[in-house]
Amino acid sequence: MTPSVSHVRGFALGACVVLVIGGCAAPGPSAPVETRGRVVEPAVALAPPAPVAAPPEAAAAAAAPEEVVPPVEPPATAREPAVQSLFAAAMQFGTRGEWERAQAALERAVRLAPDYADLWRELAFAQYRQGALEEAGHTARRALALVRAARGDPGPVVRLAERIESARRAQAGD
Amino acid sequence: MAGRRKSGGTRGRSSRRTKRSPWRRTARFVFLHLALWSALAFAAYWLWLDYRVSNAFEHRRWALPARVYARPLELYPGAAVDRARLEAELERLGYARVETPRAVGEYSVARRAVEFHARGYPFWDAPEPRRAVRVTFAAAAVAGLVDVATGAPVALMRLEPAEIARINPRRYEDRVLLSFDELPRAFVAGLVAVEDRRFFEHVGVDLAGLARALWVNVRERRIAQGGSTLTQQLVKNLYLTRDRTLVRKFNEVLMALSLERRYSKRDILETYVNEVFLGQDGNRAIHGFGLAARFYFGRPLGELTTGEIALLIGMVKGPSLYDPRRAPEAARRRRDVVLGLLADAGVVAPAEAARMREAALVVRTPGDGGRTVADAFIGLVHRQLGRDYSREDLNTAGLKVYTTVDPELQAAAGRALPQTLARLEQRPGAADLQGAVVVAEPVSGEVLALVGDRVPGRRGFNRALDARRPVGSVIKPFVYARALADPAAWSLMSVVPDAAVEVTDARGQVWRPTNFDGREHGDVTLLHAFERSLNLATVQLGLRLGVDEVVDHLRKLGLGRDVPRVPAVLLGAVELTPYEVAEAFTILANDGFRVPLRAIAAVTGPDNRKLTRYGLKQRAVMDPAAAALVRFAMTRAVAAGTGRALQSLLPDALPLAGKTGTSNDHRDSWFAGFGANRLAVAWVGRDDNAPTGLTGASGALRVWAATMAQARTRPVEPTLPAGVEWRRVDPALAGAYPRDCDAGLEIPVHIESALPQLADCDGRVETPAKRGVVDRLRDWFR
């Protein structure tokens, strides 16, 4: 049977469509923009060290009455300008709501002063504010262990731990 | 419809037409269908090839290259960085040494100071500004740090991180990746001149080149010339098999055209340069000019001479034919031919080409295979990239991976292991030793160095990550911790018998453990049993705790879900990798908090904006008091026990906590230990698991010490957690002195532990109930 002109036209049309699609297949994704070699000028330089007041110390409640527990200073490393400057930077980031940067600064500080309980407490808070509740809970525990080891006032850490715990329960309950 | 015949002269033409028309129309019908369908088929086929090309090329194109950085050097007053270390780092970062630094990237050195103009760096968390600083040193540490412009002291600064590798973030490949911009101009010109003269002009296929090759081949009646463009060669390399059929050639042409349509000449050439096969090293293929340059000449491509580059270009046509090691004559001839081609093409001056031809071809002897020392560490980076970052993240081009490695320590560990093993092999019975070292920062879990092979640059089995071996006595700290977590029942002065014991398991098999010296030591304190790593006492302790208790405890600590429930576990019948052991020991270094080890600090895109980041993590898994007591016992093991060789090897870092480990028949030698800022595990053994004759002390401890001596290790801190206090005791009498005495050994004791009390500072016993035990101890001391 010989095809009618309409048949031929139909096929031609179909083939053209296919060829056109093939020919116009999307070109490859655009090449990445090279940004190497361009140093981005920093927006914020680390602030010069601001003296950090030592946390208020109170005698441990568990001390026997005849024993006078002397208030314990933060570890020597806490006073180092490097640690103080990172602590101050973290506080600044925190007030601006940049909790990830605050956390990064505190992690750097903790490497220099691993026994400084206040750092761990603030780290727990930064994690809490980012919603990493499980991590925050563990970090608060570390802070608490250090505070107790230094016979400091566990109050602030305990309150933070409670906040974290209730946030966790609320999240789990939803 | 049959044609209608018409009569009549005036219709002659049409009647002729209609007479032929059935055949003609059928033929036309067939022809049209054939044409259309084959055009369709061809189009579909090409579409499919096109898809394949782009799919696979994306995979490679966007994977090139991620830049890997080491940890940046931090400077602050008190930092344990001496002048030499800072100088080395500045050199590594490409700073220029001058008399007076005026421009960014310059530095000068005085007797106790270094002044440099820091480049600054856009760290994602806190960018480092450009500034000129002056660093002063005292006693191998930074004494002061001052901003030269303002005179103000600088509390803390970070140098730029050193780039240590370029990798394909999604696949662990053996490549030294080069980006187009860093290819020497002469190299590009030379490659194009020799392999594909019209590369920058053609569309993927060079018809003129093909025609000429066809002519030559026909004339010579063999396949003499390829006529393939670089694009075609790349296609062949990436996608197709090596058989030389017409079909394959057809595919190759189509795919080359597709490639050229989608990607720029830059992209294609860059990928080609990094993919082309250039040799074989055992079972490792040498792909890419970057790796080939290091493999044959031991230097980066950018540092090669024209003659060396000419040889590499010449090897494209036949990497084994022109292998300079196996066929030096042929290689030299090929190099000379290529030099001639380069001169003809104007890439190289004829005089230079002639001069290069005179030069001998010097090839580096295969040693570390041209890889960097950080190879095992890069392997770890790959695994953690794959585990912690999404596919979308890793598909970003120009990734920057900021790792935790300390390049100086990594290099030192990479030297310490082979040097120590070589020394150990001088002992009788020790041969073909292998080893692994893991060094980490306890508080953060950051991996500072990782060595998985005594040939650090060799890519192969990474023993630090994958050698699963019985840990032997290295398990004991965790067993003792289980006891010490119950302070009412156990303290370091608690006494157990170091006496023979038989344990029968459910199947009726009898286990009779022995001590290393084959003797029984009578009643001993936990502290003493730990110091001397006494097996019998440990088993006795473990049986009193209950094997199930101990196994549950070990599993909870994260020592593996498959810790077997057998008494032999008490002596380390548990298989772990050095990496896993290191992670376990973070628990003891962090007062009961387990810190996972990590090799990556952050990953950013090329715009320096952070992708996902996994910060410091930790889990409370052990009672801090128990951890502190075990930590102390470990310092005693180093001070007076099986680890005491460290006293002479690392005198300035004491006290250090450490534990030796030796598995059955001396097949595995372990040492795990830490100071305040460094934790490390060393393993020594044989790949075939044969006995080495080495103990933990005679083998792995030496590797550990050689590494840690260069790690600026600080002593363990004497701080104790709440509920634990220092008491002076008489270790022989296992009793505590009154508090104002100066005698005996100071050990940590939990406030809930009841120690026998000695009556006075001379050691007379007060509590008669404990007399029997004390008498036995006294006898033992006589």
Side-chain angles (χ1 to χ4, degrees), chain A residues 114-115 120 138 141-150, chain B residues 442-443 478 481 557 584-595 618-632 674-676 679 716-724 726 748:
Chain A
D115 290 343
W120 291 99
H138 287 279
R141 261 179 96 161
R142 183 100 181 238
L144 196 56
L146 286 168
V147 164
R148 292 206 172 113
Chain B
V443 68
F478 305 101
L557 294 178
F585 273 78
T586 61
I587 301 172
L588 302 173
N590 285 297
D591 271 354
F593 287 84
R594 183 193 174 96
V595 178
Q618 57 186 340
R619 287 287 178 272
V621 296
M622 185 190 283
D623 172 32
L629 295 176
V630 170
R631 187 173 70 230
F632 173 78
F674 51 88
L679 180 152
V716 170
E717 297 279 346
T719 48
L720 294 177
V724 181
W726 290 105

Side-chain angles (χ1 to χ4, degrees), chain B residues 491-510:
Chain B
S491 75
L492 287 173
M493 287 290 107
S494 302
V495 174
V496 286
D498 184 61
V501 60
E502 264 184 27
V503 183
T504 312
D505 69 11
R507 283 173 296 173
Q509 296 208 300
V510 180

Side-chain angles (χ1 to χ4, degrees), chain A residues 3 11 15 18-19 26 29 32 35-36 42 86 100-101 107-108 111-112 120 134-135 138-139 142 149, chain B residues 29 33 40 43 58 62 67 71 74 76 124-125 127 156 158 262 441 590 593 606 610 613 616 618-619:
Chain A
F11 278 123
V18 173
L19 283 171
T35 54
R36 296 197 275 248
L86 285 167
E100 271 202 296
R101 291 200 155 97
E107 287 182 8
R108 284 176 70 192
R111 284 175 41 221
L112 301 178
W120 291 99
E134 206 184 328
E135 278 316 313
H138 287 279
T139 308
R142 183 100 181 238
Chain B
F29 167 77
H33 267 264
L40 254 175
E58 276 327 304
W62 296 151
R67 296 175 150 200
R71 74 193 296 124
E74 278 194 334
Y76 53 92
W124 75 269
D125 55 335
L156 174 67
R158 289 187 275 195
R262 287 171 166 273
E441 190 178 58
N590 285 297
F593 287 84
K610 179 198 62 66
R613 175 179 173 262
L616 198 158
Q618 57 186 340
R619 287 287 178 272

Side-chain angles (χ1 to χ4, degrees), chain B residues 522-545:
Chain B
D523 284 339
V524 293
T525 60
L526 289 195
L527 181 60
H528 187 88
F530 187 88
E531 283 176 13
R532 301 297 162 104
S533 204
L534 299 178
N535 287 341
L536 296 176
T538 306
V539 171
Q540 295 277 1
L541 171 66
L543 293 175
R544 281 159 173 72
L545 295 170

Side-chain angles (χ1 to χ4, degrees), chain A residues 57-120:
Chain A
E57 303 289 12
E66 59 265 26
E67 269 184 276
V68 174
V69 180
V72 178
E73 291 289 297
T77 44
R79 281 191 287 278
E80 279 172 20
V83 176
Q84 289 190 12
S85 116
L86 285 167
F87 204 159
M91 295 297 108
Q92 272 191 31
F93 285 132
T95 53
R96 292 206 295 267
E98 297 182 83
W99 294 109
E100 271 202 296
R101 291 200 155 97
Q103 179 177 348
L106 288 165
E107 287 182 8
R108 284 176 70 192
V110 140
R111 284 175 41 221
L112 301 178
D115 290 343
Y116 190 5
D118 288 359
L119 292 175
W120 291 99

Side-chain angles (χ1 to χ4, degrees), chain B residues 34-115:
Chain B
L34 257 177
L36 285 168
W37 283 116
S38 35
L40 254 175
F42 180 75
Y45 185 58
W46 196 350
L47 254 180
W48 175 71
L49 274 185
D50 190 64
Y51 168 74
R52 255 189 85 191
V53 160
S54 72
N55 202 26
F57 195 75
E58 276 327 304
H59 181 79
R60 304 204 78 73
R61 174 64 189 90
W62 296 151
L64 296 175
R67 296 175 150 200
V68 181
Y69 298 93
R71 74 193 296 124
L73 184 64
E74 278 194 334
L75 295 173
Y76 53 92
V81 175
D82 61 12
R83 207 196 75 185
R85 174 100 206 281
L86 179 55
E87 274 186 70
E89 189 74 14
L90 290 172
E91 284 291 322
R92 183 180 286 123
L93 294 173
Y95 280 73
R97 183 162 169 172
V98 297
E99 274 300 308
T100 318
R102 270 182 265 272
V104 169
E106 295 183 341
Y107 78 100
S108 69
V109 174
R111 199 160 58 92
R112 282 216 196 91
V114 171
E115 194 173 309

Side-chain angles (χ1 to χ4, degrees), chain B residues 508-688:
Chain B
Q509 296 208 300
V510 180
W511 179 53
R512 284 189 204 90
T514 57
N515 278 332
F516 180 58
D517 59 7
R519 289 170 43 207
E520 294 178 40
H521 297 251
D523 284 339
V524 293
T525 60
L526 289 195
L527 181 60
H528 187 88
F530 187 88
E531 283 176 13
R532 301 297 162 104
S533 204
L534 299 178
N535 287 341
L536 296 176
T538 306
V539 171
Q540 295 277 1
L541 171 66
L543 293 175
R544 281 159 173 72
L545 295 170
V547 172
D548 277 340
E549 273 291 322
V550 175
V551 169
D552 287 341
H553 170 74
L554 294 178
R555 289 184 182 174
K556 189 186 122 190
L557 294 178
L559 269 75
R561 273 186 300 273
D562 45 357
V563 174
R565 281 192 188 282
V566 295
V569 159
L570 300 169
L571 298 184
V574 179
E575 293 194 341
L576 296 172
T577 66
Y579 187 84
E580 289 168 340
V581 173
E583 205 168 272
F585 273 78
T586 61
I587 301 172
L588 302 173
N590 285 297
D591 271 354
F593 287 84
R594 183 193 174 96
V595 178
L597 299 186
R598 61 202 162 100
I600 302 171
V603 174
T604 72
D607 55 1
N608 298 307
R609 280 200 14 253
K610 179 198 62 66
L611 300 180
T612 331
R613 175 179 173 262
Y614 289 76
L616 198 158
K617 281 179 184 288
Q618 57 186 340
R619 287 287 178 272
V621 296
M622 185 190 283
D623 172 32
L629 295 176
V630 170
R631 187 173 70 230
F632 173 78
M634 288 175 69
T635 63
R636 289 297 302 165
V638 168
T642 56
R644 61 186 176 279
L646 280 187
Q647 299 273 315
S648 53
L649 294 171
L650 288 170
D652 299 329
L654 301 172
L656 285 170
K659 184 74 196 78
T660 52
T662 315
S663 67
N664 270 350
D665 299 327
H666 298 97
R667 291 173 204 275
D668 302 282
S669 164
W670 291 91
F671 192 82
F674 51 88
N677 62 338
R678 297 282 181 267
L679 180 152
V681 172
W683 168 85
V684 174
R686 286 172 57 115
D687 283 344
D688 64 4

